[in-house]
Amino acid sequence: MKYSALKGVHDILPPDVYLWQKVESLAQGVFSVYGFQEIRLPIIESTDIFTRSIGETTDIVEKEMYTFPDRAGRSITLRPEGTASVVRAYVENHLHNLPSPQKFFYAGPMFRYERPQKGRFRQFYQIGIEAFGLESPEFDAEILSMLKVFLERAGVKGLNFEINSIGCEDCRPAFRKALTGFFSDKLNDLCPDCQVRYEHNPLRILDCKVERCIELRKGAPRVTDFLCDECRSHFESVLSSLRILDIPYEVNPTLVRGLDYYTRTTFEVTSEQLGSQKAVAAGGRYDRLVEEFGGPETPAIGFAMGMERLTTLLKESGGILIPSPDIFIATLGKRAVSEASVIAGELRAKGLWTEVGYDGSSLKSQLRKADRLASSYAFIIGDNEISTGKFKWKNLKDSSQGETDISGLGDFISSRFPDAVKPR
Ligand code: HAM
């Protein structure tokens, strides 16, 4: 019987995995100088954590969650995103009692039962950040600036920063009224889901993926025309801070995002190279969510990047730097194998990737193997070398070769691999 991974779920294999590691460590490096600390969260949560925050009438909650009863009959969900869990952890662990702001980053798999296609998976990976306690528009700009710095340092080019404000609970009722007014004579033509959304959450009609609804919403009222004075002034200050920080942006008044928890600033970073699933990162403010989860009034903002989309862009913009062994020790004879395993231990202790030819094949075939692995050096150790106390070496990059005393191995290594760990 042949097994295969589930639909929409994928393995991350070498050499791609090196790119993933590079991106993850770069994210950690960049985010930490902005004061973000890592938080590790469970992959399963109580279902209501997501229904309450993401919203009952969103696509994610209505159609995409992996929800199942556990053995005690509790409703459990594989997390479709990270924000709700970070907020749950923030409130549950009373992190609001710590000095403000509190800033976190996380990385890991998320699960959505979506129709798989290029750039869209059922298990996908995000790196995300969430910051609690700062309301100021300059901070929104700082978050976007950090995202830009990270993406530039990762080497992604040709990105668009799209930004919008979707206001607060004070401006929402007027916008909602304008939307229901706009759709009232189109109601019967909307998809069945949007007919329900019309009643409960008309904003979500703007996010529907059904072709008919996309057509019907042309000319719909724009949320930015309904902002209250405070939200308008916040948004204008975000935009002026972006200009000061030299972040090119495009205001996109249709950017309402597919999750209900957002207030004020929303944004997406998109790339035309990605095709229809073009958002590589997305996020915004969610100033009410901590309170809704039972915590104190706490403004908050965050974003998440899709690792599959990000690594796709990186692969297109340049090759993956594939690591390869530093030294391959080819062995000739039983004694040589034991000697080689001791030498390999010393080399690995210096941080050098070392492979040993354990399989007893001919020298020619071992050297071919070293070449195939793209090893930098081959060492050759046979009974003859052991009795003379020497080993032969070959530089497989420039084809130079020579012979060195086994006792002089330390000097040989420090002259060829200056980054190797110095002996204590
Ligand atoms: P989101 O827009 O649902 O936001 O997802 C963020 C990013 O995750 C997307 O821009 C995309 O790159 C990636 N992504 C989403 N779904 C998939 C999928 N099915 N396959 C591959 N990649 C995908 C959030 O998740 C929010 N929690 C972001 C946030 C953090 N807002 C505030 N803080």
Side-chain angles (χ1 to χ4, degrees):
M1 180 175 186
K2 274 197 177 163
Y3 291 108
S4 53
L6 295 173
K7 201 173 162 199
V9 164
H10 63 107
D11 302 306
I12 306 151
L13 305 171
D16 283 9
V17 80
Y18 296 118
L19 192 57
W20 283 62
Q21 288 169 346
K22 198 180 125 193
V23 168
E24 284 159 3
S25 75
L26 180 68
Q28 183 169 0
V30 172
F31 298 164
S32 65
V33 297
Y34 286 80
F36 286 81
Q37 305 183 78
E38 186 174 3
I39 183 166
R40 298 195 182 194
L41 301 156
I43 283 168
I44 50 171
E45 296 273 9
S46 190
T47 301
D48 47 356
I49 284 178
F50 301 114
T51 45
R52 273 292 298 279
S53 57
I54 297 171
E56 302 265 5
T57 51
T58 56
D59 277 0
I60 296 180
V61 169
E62 275 181 343
K63 306 178 191 156
E64 297 170 1
M65 294 208 302
Y66 280 89
T67 297
F68 54 93
D70 73 2
R71 286 179 187 270
R74 300 177 199 93
S75 183
I76 305 290
T77 293
L78 291 180
R79 61 179 184 193
E81 58 110 47
T83 311
S85 300
V86 180
V87 174
R88 196 259 316 130
Y90 180 81
V91 175
E92 183 178 353
N93 297 291
H94 307 289
L95 304 181
H96 41 82
N97 291 336
L98 300 172
S100 171
Q102 287 291 312
K103 307 183 215 174
F104 306 101
F105 73 88
Y106 52 89
M110 308 292 161
F111 304 84
R112 295 184 195 175
Y113 194 80
E114 295 197 79
R115 195 170 48 78
Q117 63 178 87
K118 185 170 178 273
R120 191 158 74 190
F121 298 88
R122 290 185 172 165
Q123 176 172 340
F124 60 98
Y125 291 74
Q126 284 185 345
I127 297 184
I129 65 103
E130 314 292 347
F132 298 91
L134 285 176
E135 195 175 13
S136 93
E138 290 76 18
F139 188 62
D140 300 30
E142 180 174 298
I143 292 293
L144 276 153
S145 166
M146 177 173 86
L147 179 55
K148 180 168 173 272
V149 167
F150 166 78
L151 291 167
E152 278 174 2
R153 286 191 45 194
V156 201
K157 296 189 181 75
L159 294 171
N160 311 309
F161 284 72
E162 299 181 26
I163 187 158
N164 193 23
S165 173
I166 59 164
C168 64
E169 69 261 41
D170 289 341
C171 17
R172 213 59 73 67
F175 180 52
R176 197 187 150 112
K177 199 162 160 225
L179 275 182
T180 43
F182 177 81
F183 286 113
S184 61
D185 59 348
K186 305 174 178 63
L187 190 55
N188 293 336
D189 298 324
L190 290 170
C191 75
D193 283 346
C194 279
Q195 295 189 12
V196 177
R197 289 172 186 145
Y198 179 87
E199 293 297 332
H200 300 287
N201 192 354
L203 205 83
R204 290 271 70 85
I205 302 174
L206 302 177
D207 190 50
C208 179
K209 315 277 184 317
V210 174
E211 206 52 57
R212 199 164 75 234
C213 299
I214 296 175
E215 197 54 41
L216 286 171
R217 68 179 177 238
K218 282 188 180 153
R222 296 167 156 216
V223 63
T224 33
D225 294 333
F226 292 84
L227 296 181
C228 63
D229 289 347
E230 284 186 11
C231 287
R232 173 167 310 286
S233 134
H234 188 275
F235 188 43
E236 280 166 5
S237 302
V238 174
L239 299 183
S240 78
S241 302
L242 290 175
R243 289 192 292 272
I244 290 167
L245 291 173
D246 209 13
I247 302 171
Y249 62 81
E250 196 182 306
V251 174
N252 176 357
T254 65
L255 188 68
V256 292
R257 308 276 297 119
L259 305 97
D260 276 355
Y261 50 62
Y262 290 111
T263 49
R264 295 191 167 172
T265 313
T266 54
F267 54 88
E268 282 189 4
V269 181
T270 58
S271 164
E272 296 309 323
Q273 285 177 55
L274 286 172
S276 63
Q277 302 304 313
K278 62 185 179 139
V280 65
R285 276 205 163 270
Y286 48 94
D287 292 342
R288 308 286 310 151
L289 196 55
V290 171
E291 232 181 319
E292 276 172 30
F293 271 45
E297 206 176 305
T298 310
I301 183 168
F303 65 73
M305 306 182 278
M307 280 294 282
E308 286 78 4
R309 298 184 194 175
L310 183 54
T311 50
T312 299
L313 288 174
L314 289 172
K315 273 199 267 184
E316 278 167 17
S317 69
I320 309 175
L321 199 63
I322 305 168
S324 57
D326 296 301
I327 294 155
F328 185 100
I329 310 181
T331 61
L332 295 168
K334 267 261 168 263
R335 272 179 67 208
V337 173
S338 324
E339 181 72 21
S341 59
V342 174
I343 294 176
E346 289 170 19
L347 296 171
R348 288 168 183 152
K350 291 178 191 292
L352 297 175
W353 176 358
T354 308
E355 294 291 335
V356 178
Y358 278 121
D359 62 4
S361 58
S362 69
L363 179 62
K364 198 170 157 199
S365 109
Q366 290 187 59
L367 290 179
R368 209 180 308 127
K369 194 167 179 182
D371 238 352
R372 246 197 356 249
L373 289 172
S375 181
S376 302
Y377 278 83
F379 288 2
I380 299 155
I381 299 184
D383 292 348
N384 190 26
E385 281 77 11
I386 294 171
S387 53
T388 58
K390 291 181 184 298
F391 69 93
K392 290 201 180 77
W393 56 264
K394 192 168 177 191
N395 181 327
L396 299 174
K397 307 280 177 208
D398 67 9
S399 299
S400 60
Q401 48 191 323
E403 203 173 53
T404 298
D405 287 342
I406 294 180
S407 59
L409 185 65
D411 291 341
F412 179 88
I413 293 302
S414 42
S415 65
R416 314 291 162 129
F417 296 95
D419 293 337
V421 181
K422 301 261 177 318
R424 271 178 262 166

